[in-house]
Amino acid sequence: MSAPPKSPTRRAILRLSRDRGAMTALAVLALMTLACLVGPLLTGHAPARTYPDLRQLPPGLAAQPDADRLRPTLDRLAFRIRATVAEAERTGDTLRLVLASDATIDPRGLVYLPRSDLFGAPRVVASEDDGRRLTVAVPVRRLHFLLGTDVHGRDLLSRSLVAGRVSLLIGLTATLVALGVGILYGAVSGFAGGAVDAAMMRVVDILYALPFVFFVIVLVVFFRASLALILVAIGAVEWLDMARIVRAQTLALRRRDFVRAAEALGLSSAAILRRHIVPNTLGPVTVAATLLVPRVILLESFLSFLGLGVQEPATSWGVLIAEGARSLESAPHMLAGPAAFLVATLVALNVLGDGLAAALDPRAEA
Amino acid sequence: MTGYVLRRLLQAIPTLFVVIALSFFLMRLAPGGPFDLERPLAPAAMDNLRRVYGLDQPLAVQFGRYLAALVRGDLGPSFSFRDMSVADLFARGLPVSMILGGLALAVSLALGVGLGAWAAYRRGGWVDRLVGAAASLGLSVPGFVVAPLLQIAFGLSLRWLPVSGWEGGAPSHLILPVITLALPQAGGIARLTRASMAEALRAQHVRTMRSLGLPPWRIARHALRGALLPVVAILGPLSASLLTGSVVVETIFGLPGIGRYFVEGALNRDYTLVMGTVVLVAVLVVVLNLVADLVSAWLDPRLRLHA
């Protein structure tokens, strides 16, 4: 067991790779990102495509339309063709449909069938009773909606995945904004020390006391909500913690010998910050950033839930959850699907953050 | 002590000023106004309205007037609720939000501290792992997901509890909103308590008590006193997030609290109502931070009260 001493980063990575929970979380996050990026191409439905005849379908593996949904649609279409459905028998992908009426059925009326999303082009097989009884062969489409459909008949899986792109993007970008501002502010404050530090931290203290979420709401309500504004608003709110962490680290670091040596060698303050201070604060900052992403995603979905965040036609998990909550009684699956995506992502991020914190803890054993 | 409290309150004044100035000018810079209706008003009527509410004055004058009124405790008339002042609206909404927030705070503290301390006491055991998992889940499941789930389960399926409404604060109407509000906070508190309690149980005075053979509950009591400090320290931010959470909870459960007034006020460009809510929340956060510091000092005499 006497391997050569490894760098702290290597040891942290090693510890993290032994943490089963954190590794599972990492895998979940990788899968989620991959699914959101390429998934919408594989579901077979464009996220905005509506199927008016297949609204609020429950989730399931079976091909749609199934027998229960076929008949009402057929009856409705037959009414428009001015006939009634005498027989309907499905064999595989084709439906043998017998239409009956008191008058001659105009075969041109059959164009209503392919218009309904569920059927292909019909073919008249036989015409009896002077055209009052029409036998038609229609191909039935086979559509799969793993998570069901929403109130407009849109595929929820595609919608959830596309929404995930927006939620994850906001989570990452707003965190990066907060990270950039926080690191810069904290490092400068801690490195400058003295009166500058005191003044800069006083500003942070004042900002801490602000009811920030209320501010974000005021911002997005009064200036039409846009993706950029939400990003800026959330990023501007969440940098405070980061600034405090970085400042505390910097204060400790600047008394260390290697920083004093760099100073003595005539390195400029900016160079010391860049080369020696900031890289050494990255451990705790990584942990804080990992835990910040779920908070940002939560904040965005909170805004979207209130109808103040991402606006149609763009969508995010918060938007979908809000839609689901509105049609809770008729279609609870509309809440369950997107909520599961959101919760899985948040749990994974929190678990990963905890794992990172444990792995980077300098007091931990190898 | 009194001097300290006074000093802290004085220090809060610049904070409050920043809050008020920021929200005032932000709102006014935004396009749109409180009297923009679907069918525009006649210009003369619009001018009259603007004059009555003082909106025809320069912004700086309006700001000065608002501050002057605020110092006298006057929050102004509401723009969207005609014939009501902001103070009237708060008189109605604040008790609702306070009851909700107070109960949620109590529930989350009891649950969080209890479970967190228990987990720390059985460190590494199944209780610890279970509490850890539950806390992570509680933190990650947002209120707007929990609330509909509770509504389905206890309202629509079991029909035990009402789905929404206030009804003068009847207990049955309070249960679901309070649970929704308390769960995420309880998760956070449990994690915090577990970490600090684990630390406290390793402290020397606790080891001494163990070696003296004191019963577990007495050891736990002593350790908890120190372990509660971080929990008390987050009381301020905690109540702030309870207020934030109440926006969602009040919307979902249809409760007439100030969180809902705030969202509606913002959507209706009700300047005074939004300002009033922001000021109220800021004052609450300042006061609660102060209370948290006072309690910390009481728990740990080493934390001397200096500004």
Side-chain angles (χ1 to χ4, degrees):
Chain A
M1 293 299 278
S2 60
K6 300 186 188 84
S7 76
T9 319
R10 290 277 300 278
R11 266 182 301 170
I13 292 174
L14 197 69
R15 275 200 295 266
L16 190 66
S17 66
R18 290 205 199 107
D19 183 342
R20 253 183 299 163
M23 282 296 126
T24 317
L26 203 58
V28 168
L29 288 174
L31 268 178
M32 185 68 78
T33 315
L34 194 67
C36 289
L37 286 180
V38 300
L41 308 172
L42 307 176
T43 54
H45 307 281
R49 171 86 153 86
T50 59
Y51 296 93
D53 291 321
L54 296 169
R55 288 187 187 132
Q56 294 196 341
L57 284 182
L61 291 169
Q64 296 292 345
D66 58 10
D68 293 345
R69 272 161 229 285
L70 204 51
R71 195 56 200 243
T73 312
L74 277 178
D75 285 335
R76 201 167 48 75
L77 291 170
F79 180 75
R80 304 190 77 173
I81 306 172
R82 296 171 195 282
T84 51
V85 178
E87 281 173 48
E89 193 188 341
R90 183 175 175 174
T91 40
D93 287 345
T94 7
L95 181 77
R96 204 179 67 86
L97 182 67
V98 180
L99 293 168
S101 171
D102 297 336
T104 310
I105 301 171
D106 188 347
R108 283 177 297 178
L110 294 177
V111 294
Y112 284 118
L113 286 173
R115 276 190 202 165
S116 86
D117 299 326
L118 306 188
F119 304 106
R123 186 167 52 83
V124 179
V125 179
S127 175
E128 299 157 51
D129 266 353
D130 297 332
R132 275 180 291 210
R133 200 176 161 81
L134 217 55
T135 308
V136 186
V138 207
V140 182
R141 311 246 324 248
R142 265 173 182 276
L143 301 165
H144 291 272
F145 301 95
L146 289 182
L147 290 184
T149 57
D150 70 1
V151 276
H152 302 295
R154 290 177 292 196
D155 179 37
L156 257 188
L157 180 61
S158 313
R159 299 255 301 152
S160 300
L161 293 174
V162 172
R165 287 182 189 168
V166 175
S167 290
L168 291 176
L169 181 75
I170 290 182
L172 285 179
T173 332
T175 302
L176 284 180
V177 171
L179 210 59
V181 178
I183 289 181
L184 194 67
Y185 195 96
V188 168
S189 173
F191 192 71
V196 179
D197 177 42
M200 285 176 87
M201 279 303 120
R202 184 85 191 106
V203 171
V204 170
D205 285 342
I206 290 181
L207 292 177
Y208 250 112
L210 299 189
F212 253 123
V213 175
F214 288 79
F215 258 115
V216 174
I217 292 179
V218 170
L219 262 180
V220 295
V221 168
F222 283 85
F223 302 88
R224 294 270 119 234
S226 71
L227 211 57
L229 181 65
I230 295 170
L231 281 178
V232 171
I234 297 181
V237 168
E238 299 284 359
W239 62 271
L240 295 174
D241 284 327
M242 211 64 83
R244 277 197 170 169
I245 294 169
V246 174
R247 171 182 169 266
Q249 289 283 314
T250 311
L251 275 181
L253 282 171
R254 59 170 279 123
R255 275 183 236 117
R256 299 277 293 275
D257 287 341
F258 68 94
V259 175
R260 308 238 305 255
E263 245 167 337
L265 286 170
L267 227 58
S268 70
S269 295
I272 295 177
L273 276 179
R274 204 176 55 238
R275 294 270 298 279
H276 296 295
I277 304 282
V278 171
N280 276 304
T281 62
L282 285 184
V285 166
T286 315
V287 175
T290 316
L291 293 173
L292 185 55
V293 179
R295 273 177 55 191
V296 171
I297 294 180
L298 206 57
L299 187 52
E300 177 275 320
S301 49
F302 165 80
L303 289 175
S304 296
F305 180 83
L306 291 174
L308 308 175
V310 176
Q311 304 290 324
E312 289 277 348
T315 188
S316 77
W317 284 329
V319 176
L320 293 182
I321 290 172
E323 284 173 14
R326 274 197 292 276
S327 47
L328 195 58
E329 276 181 83
S330 54
H333 72 272
M334 278 180 56
L335 176 75
F341 276 98
L342 177 67
V343 171
T345 307
L346 295 181
V347 171
L349 280 166
N350 280 327
V351 170
L352 181 63
D354 291 346
L356 270 176
L360 288 167
D361 186 355
R363 285 178 301 180
E365 311 279 309
Chain B
M1 170 82 181
T2 324
Y4 172 77
V5 171
L6 276 178
R7 211 163 48 240
R8 281 287 299 269
L9 289 178
L10 277 179
Q11 277 176 352
I13 289 176
T15 307
L16 291 177
F17 181 78
V18 172
V19 175
I20 295 166
L22 257 179
S23 29
F24 188 88
F25 289 105
L26 259 181
M27 261 191 317
R28 294 308 173 83
L29 283 174
F35 305 117
D36 293 347
L37 304 173
E38 304 237 328
R39 228 156 29 110
L41 287 169
M46 188 67 127
D47 285 346
N48 279 335
L49 269 175
R50 292 177 64 87
R51 200 165 48 244
V52 167
Y53 286 102
L55 295 178
D56 53 343
Q57 302 288 322
L59 260 192
V61 174
Q62 290 186 39
F63 185 57
R65 282 187 183 175
Y66 185 79
L67 281 183
L70 194 64
V71 171
R72 293 194 306 270
D74 180 9
L75 290 168
S78 162
F79 286 96
S80 56
F81 296 83
R82 298 287 148 84
D83 301 330
M84 300 269 283
S85 72
V86 174
D88 291 339
L89 288 171
F90 284 173
R92 278 198 202 169
L94 204 53
V96 174
S97 298
M98 281 296 180
I99 292 174
L100 207 60
L103 284 174
L105 187 64
V107 170
S108 55
L109 277 176
L111 260 181
V113 170
L115 288 177
W118 192 19
Y121 213 80
R122 303 246 183 263
R123 199 144 168 257
W126 64 268
V127 173
D128 188 16
R129 258 172 286 164
L130 202 67
V131 169
S136 291
L137 204 64
L139 269 179
S140 306
V141 186
F144 50 84
V145 171
V146 174
L149 290 179
L150 290 176
Q151 283 178 325
I152 296 188
F154 296 101
L156 300 175
S157 306
L158 295 170
R159 302 203 168 280
W160 286 353
L161 293 167
V163 171
S164 68
W166 177 244
E167 306 294 326
S172 64
H173 283 262
L174 280 172
I175 296 176
L176 294 186
V178 166
I179 293 177
T180 308
L181 209 47
L183 273 186
Q185 313 301 342
I189 296 174
R191 285 165 54 118
L192 206 57
T193 312
R194 182 194 168 275
S196 60
M197 184 75 172
E199 194 107 332
L201 285 173
R202 281 198 298 265
Q204 292 199 348
H205 69 276
V206 173
R207 202 180 303 161
T208 310
M209 279 190 283
R210 280 231 171 98
S211 67
L212 287 173
L214 284 166
W217 63 268
R218 283 191 59 184
I219 297 174
R221 215 186 58 191
H222 278 275
L224 198 58
R225 189 177 167 113
L228 276 181
L229 273 175
V231 178
V232 173
I234 61 148
L235 271 184
L238 181 74
S239 17
S241 57
L242 278 176
L243 283 167
T244 316
S246 72
V247 174
V248 161
V249 167
E250 286 170 16
T251 309
I252 295 181
F253 289 101
L255 306 176
I258 51 164
R260 236 176 106 201
Y261 283 144
F262 176 75
V263 175
E264 284 172 17
L267 289 172
N268 293 327
R269 298 281 192 280
D270 192 336
Y271 294 143
T272 42
L273 181 53
V274 172
M275 286 297 303
T277 318
V278 171
V279 171
L280 181 76
V281 171
V283 169
L284 271 177
V285 171
V286 166
V287 170
L288 287 165
N289 272 327
L290 177 58
V291 172
D293 285 353
L294 291 177
V295 176
S296 297
W298 173 69
L299 277 174
D300 187 347
R302 282 173 305 176
L303 294 173
R304 272 202 229 111
L305 296 178
H306 47 135

